[in-house]
Amino acid sequence: SRAFVKLRSQVQILSEASMKINLWYSKGMQQWRWTLCEEFKNGVTHTEQHSGQRIYLRDAMDDVANTVEYILDKKNK
């Protein structure tokens, strides 16, 4: 099925790259902050970093999820 093919391609992408997500609360800024580092190793190492900050935890988590989905969709095309 189409959903299986999409899931399979996402698993393949994830096996070729690693994503590290850090999430923490900054008391001084009173915000949730996050970083997502993505590293590829296809003979040449390439690193990308994404980051953000939000007042509310749920909003920060949604931003992380949206960023991961964007990265996966971009690689599927």
Side-chain angles (χ1 to χ4, degrees), residues 17-30:
S18 66
M19 291 187 191
K20 296 177 184 173
I21 299 168
N22 294 302
L23 174 72
W24 69 97
Y25 185 76
S26 170
K27 288 182 183 179
M29 295 182 71
Q30 296 181 339

Side-chain angles (χ1 to χ4, degrees), residues 27-28 55 75:
K27 288 182 183 179
I55 294 172
K75 293 193 184 344

Side-chain angles (χ1 to χ4, degrees), residues 5-44:
V5 171
K6 184 175 181 180
L7 177 61
R8 185 174 174 191
S9 64
Q10 287 177 348
V11 169
Q12 182 179 1
I13 289 167
L14 290 174
S15 68
E16 296 170 0
S18 66
M19 291 187 191
K20 296 177 184 173
I21 299 168
N22 294 302
L23 174 72
W24 69 97
Y25 185 76
S26 170
K27 288 182 183 179
M29 295 182 71
Q30 296 181 339
Q31 291 185 338
W32 287 95
R33 301 181 59 113
W34 61 270
T35 59
L36 186 155
C37 296
E38 184 180 21
E39 186 174 284
F40 305 92
K41 294 181 182 176
N42 293 335
V44 177

Side-chain angles (χ1 to χ4, degrees), residues 48-72:
E48 279 189 35
Q49 182 171 327
H50 307 267
S51 62
Q53 59 196 30
R54 293 289 197 132
I55 294 172
Y56 300 108
L57 173 61
R58 179 67 57 190
D59 293 337
M61 297 294 287
D62 286 343
D63 286 350
V64 171
N66 289 336
T67 302
V68 170
E69 289 171 348
Y70 168 78
I71 290 168
L72 293 176

